[in-house]
Amino acid sequence: LEPAFQWCQELIDEGVRIKDTTLIILGQYHQYDNYTQVRDLPSAIQIATETYELEKKLRTKTSYVQANLLHLLNVKIFEGKDFSFILQVLKELSETQNGDIEAYPYYAELASARYASDSLKTEIFKEFGTENVSEFAEQIMRQTEGKINQHDQIQMLKALAHGLKRDGFIDQSFDYLNEAMHLNQNLVSKDLANTLAEHQTDLALKEQELAFEFERKQKSWLITIAVILGLLIDVLVFVLIKQVAHCEPKQRNC
């Protein structure tokens, strides 16, 4: 990762030198990934926050605005601090294109976190017009049905199940965990089916390549044999001609 850190920093430095905020944001966007790879949470939070502040100063947002908001939410929710700021970022995310769909799993994760206080949960539930985690979970699931990928749906179901269990909604929690397990099994089955299909395709291609190679070698051997036979026939004809030429007239029947 050392070259990656260096290249991103060079990109950031160049952006600062030519006063190009978009270039700085681009470099910081990728530098964030480097920090998360080495599990450097403080640096990831710092650079995500700096990118967020830079983006807010721009009249025209970059194409990275939504991804940077997601970066910031990931580390801030994991950190478990500054909840009012997290809620503010979630509202800003909801205002981006399809951002409301992207925000739902984060609301679910935040409301179901171990550190979520009653006041924080109440504020979130109020945002969705619900009274408790059970109503909140049902509404979240309705609003995201068919709109998020299965991986996010599984994670959201697990988060909501934990929140429901802590607040005493045991049956609903069990149902959500069961659904998450069912979706995960389907996902694994699809991945396995895709892997097997790819493997079969690879085998078919290899068999085809082997067949082509065998055919090529076969043709090569046939050509070689034909050339050798041709040479042998030429030699034989030459020898016969020489013999006939040296025969006496009376011995031409030799």
Side-chain angles (χ1 to χ4, degrees):
L1 285 173
E2 288 183 10
F5 274 106
Q6 180 183 343
W7 295 332
C8 288
Q9 190 57 52
E10 289 175 0
L11 195 62
I12 294 167
D13 293 342
E14 181 64 14
V16 172
R17 188 184 70 82
I18 64 176
K19 298 180 181 179
D20 187 338
T21 303
T22 301
L23 192 61
I24 298 171
I25 289 173
L26 173 62
Q28 290 182 338
Y29 169 83
H30 292 292
Q31 196 70 293
Y32 167 91
D33 289 332
N34 295 331
Y35 284 128
T36 57
Q37 284 293 321
V38 297
R39 305 293 191 271
D40 188 346
L41 181 62
S43 296
I45 291 174
Q46 180 181 347
I47 201 164
T49 305
E50 290 176 1
T51 306
Y52 169 77
E53 296 296 338
L54 284 174
E55 192 78 60
K56 288 191 71 174
K57 294 177 182 179
L58 294 175
R59 290 183 180 180
T60 303
K61 304 301 181 185
T62 70
S63 58
Y64 291 87
V65 60
Q66 190 177 87
N68 285 323
L69 289 172
L70 294 174
H71 281 177
L72 185 57
L73 285 169
N74 279 323
V75 289
K76 292 299 290 184
I77 291 176
F78 183 82
E79 183 188 34
K81 298 178 181 178
D82 303 326
F83 299 119
S84 58
F85 176 65
I86 292 173
L87 291 173
Q88 175 188 329
V89 176
L90 278 168
K91 289 179 181 178
E92 292 178 19
L93 175 62
S94 299
E95 293 170 359
T96 63
Q97 186 176 6
N98 297 323
D100 53 339
I101 303 301
E102 295 285 348
Y104 289 142
Y106 290 93
Y107 275 114
E109 186 177 352
L110 186 60
S112 305
R114 293 181 181 276
Y115 52 69
S117 63
D118 290 338
S119 59
L120 174 61
K121 290 190 288 186
T122 299
E123 190 171 354
I124 295 173
F125 299 157
K126 184 179 178 180
E127 180 73 23
F128 286 84
T130 56
E131 296 292 332
N132 53 49
V133 68
S134 176
E135 294 178 6
F136 168 74
E138 289 178 356
Q139 184 166 333
I140 285 286
M141 292 306 299
R142 282 197 304 270
Q143 293 179 347
T144 58
E145 186 176 3
K147 297 178 181 178
I148 60 176
N149 63 61
Q150 283 193 331
H151 288 96
D152 288 344
Q153 191 175 7
I154 290 168
Q155 294 304 315
M156 190 169 68
L157 282 165
K158 288 180 179 179
L160 289 171
H162 291 312
L164 288 163
K165 181 180 179 182
R166 278 196 295 273
D167 283 12
F169 297 93
I170 305 301
D171 290 342
Q172 191 175 356
S173 172
F174 177 79
D175 290 340
Y176 278 35
L177 279 177
N178 190 47
E179 186 176 352
M181 184 173 65
H182 179 68
L183 285 173
N184 191 61
Q185 288 174 341
N186 287 341
L187 197 60
V188 170
S189 297
K190 287 180 181 178
D191 289 342
L192 181 59
N194 290 335
T195 301
L196 288 173
E198 290 175 2
H199 181 64
Q200 289 173 348
T201 301
D202 289 341
L203 285 177
L205 288 172
K206 287 179 180 178
E207 288 177 0
Q208 191 175 24
E209 288 174 2
L210 288 172
F212 286 152
E213 181 66 16
F214 176 76
E215 186 178 354
R216 187 187 66 79
K217 288 183 177 179
Q218 191 177 42
K219 287 181 178 179
S220 177
W221 276 108
L222 287 174
I223 290 171
T224 303
I225 292 171
V227 170
I228 292 172
L229 287 175
L231 290 173
L232 289 174
I233 292 172
D234 288 344
V235 170
L236 181 60
V237 170
F238 177 77
V239 170
L240 289 173
I241 290 173
K242 292 288 289 183
Q243 286 182 347
V244 170
H246 286 83
C247 281
E248 293 293 330
K250 60 181 181 180
Q251 295 178 330
R252 286 192 179 276
N253 59 349
C254 68

